[in-house]
């Protein structure tokens, strides 16, 4: 601890003032960034879940399937799932109640299994499940899913921008602090230089510069 104190004693005053200002700015900005980042991330996740649920509900109202008496199975009729999936980079499965796939988009869509109606996160997706009653009885299940990775990428970008703002703000505070402290310390530097010159030349007729300011620095030469 004493070594740290000795090292700090060797740091120029302008660096102490500027560093203290930058550190305080950094702490304030970090607190602000944590609050804003948390609220923003929560809002992004909430919007993501709400938009996924809305899209699943819209798709639910468009699903049509019929029973094929010759084959004895349900046959998917409409709509074109690509129309609903492409815009949000979503994947869609339409299944029977026992999880037999009637239609999926795109091919190779993950099998999310039997899920209750509503939203859940599984296998890296936000999955919204809806039961769709059929006109002639029975029902099918539609699962509308969006990859969580896209959501987390958005959250990560927000955090990166906030971190950049915090570091940039602290750096600007340091630069501004050095400038202001340097201007404030100029009278002291001139006083020190003049006093050193008097001590070297023994010229007692020489006077130290006196500032017209009414502060502690101006009081010293007076």
């Amino acid at each position: 601890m004493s070594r740290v104190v000795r090292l700090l004693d060797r740091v120029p005053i302008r660096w102490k003032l500027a560093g203290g200002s930058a550190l305080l700015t950094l702490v304030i900005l970090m607190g602000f960034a944590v609050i804003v980042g948390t609220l923003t991330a929560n809002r992004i996740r909430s919007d993501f879940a709400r938009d996924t649920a809305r899209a699943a509900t819209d798709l639910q109202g468009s699903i049509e399937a019929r029973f094929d008496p010759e084959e004895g199975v349900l046959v998917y009729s409409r709509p074109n799932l690509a129309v609903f999936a492409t815009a949000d980079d979503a994947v869609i499965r339409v299944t029977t109640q026992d999880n037999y796939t009637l239609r999926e988009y795109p091919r190779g869509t993950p099998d999310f299994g039997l899920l209750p109606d509503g939203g859940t996160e599984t296998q890296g997706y936000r999955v919204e499940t809806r039961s769709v009653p059929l006109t002639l009885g029975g029902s099918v299940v539609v699962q509308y899913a969006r990859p969580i990775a896209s959501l987390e990428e958005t959250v990560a970008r927000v955090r990166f921008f906030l971190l950049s703002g915090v570091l940039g703000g602290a750096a600007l505070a340091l630069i501004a602090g050095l400038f202001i402290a340097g201007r404030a310390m100029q009278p002291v530097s001139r006083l020190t230089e003049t006093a050193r010159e008097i001590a070297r030349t023994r010229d007692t007729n020489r006077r130290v510069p006196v500032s017209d300011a009414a502060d502690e620095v101006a009081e010293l030469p007076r």
Side-chain angles (χ1 to χ4, degrees):
M1 185 66 182
S2 59
R3 174 179 289 185
V4 174
V5 173
R6 288 197 298 270
L7 288 175
L8 289 176
D9 289 341
R10 297 178 182 178
V11 177
I13 292 178
R14 63 177 179 274
W15 277 97
K16 292 180 181 178
L17 294 174
S21 174
L23 181 60
L24 179 60
T25 301
L26 179 64
V27 172
I28 293 174
L29 290 179
M30 284 183 64
F32 177 78
V34 168
I35 295 173
V36 172
T38 300
L39 293 176
T40 303
N42 290 341
R43 180 59 182 270
I44 291 173
R45 291 190 175 97
S46 175
D47 289 347
F48 183 86
R50 186 183 65 249
D51 291 344
T52 304
R54 182 184 298 121
T57 301
D58 291 342
L59 177 59
Q60 177 188 19
S62 302
I63 293 291
E64 288 184 10
R66 60 182 176 80
F67 184 77
D68 187 341
E70 295 182 1
E71 298 292 336
V73 296
L74 282 172
V75 178
Y76 180 83
S77 299
R78 59 181 297 273
N80 182 357
L81 298 183
V83 175
F84 286 85
T86 304
D88 293 327
D89 193 26
V91 298
I92 302 173
R93 293 180 73 234
V94 181
T95 72
T96 62
Q97 290 292 341
D98 57 0
N99 201 38
Y100 175 78
T101 301
L102 299 176
R103 185 66 58 90
E104 65 180 12
Y105 182 86
R107 289 184 179 276
T109 294
D111 183 353
F112 302 113
L114 296 173
L115 297 174
D117 280 13
T120 187
E121 293 184 2
T122 181
Q123 301 183 44
Y125 287 85
R126 173 74 187 185
V127 184
E128 288 288 340
T129 304
R130 301 287 187 275
S131 294
V132 183
L134 302 178
T135 305
L136 301 178
S139 64
V140 295
V141 175
V142 57
Q143 294 177 330
Y144 185 95
R146 296 173 65 189
I148 299 174
S150 61
L151 166 66
E152 295 304 325
E153 287 175 2
T154 302
V155 173
R157 284 197 295 269
V158 170
R159 289 173 175 169
F160 173 77
F161 289 136
L162 286 173
L163 178 61
S164 299
V166 168
L167 297 179
L172 289 176
L174 178 62
I175 294 172
L178 286 172
F179 176 76
I180 295 173
R183 291 291 300 272
M185 294 300 295
Q186 280 182 356
V188 176
S189 298
R190 289 195 295 267
L191 173 62
T192 302
E193 183 61 29
T194 303
R196 185 179 291 116
E197 187 66 18
I198 292 174
R200 186 182 65 81
T201 62
R202 305 295 181 177
D203 184 3
T204 57
N205 292 322
R206 189 166 182 176
R207 293 292 179 265
V208 295
V210 178
S211 172
D212 293 332
D215 55 23
E216 294 83 349
V217 176
E219 184 66 22
L220 179 60
R222 294 193 190 103

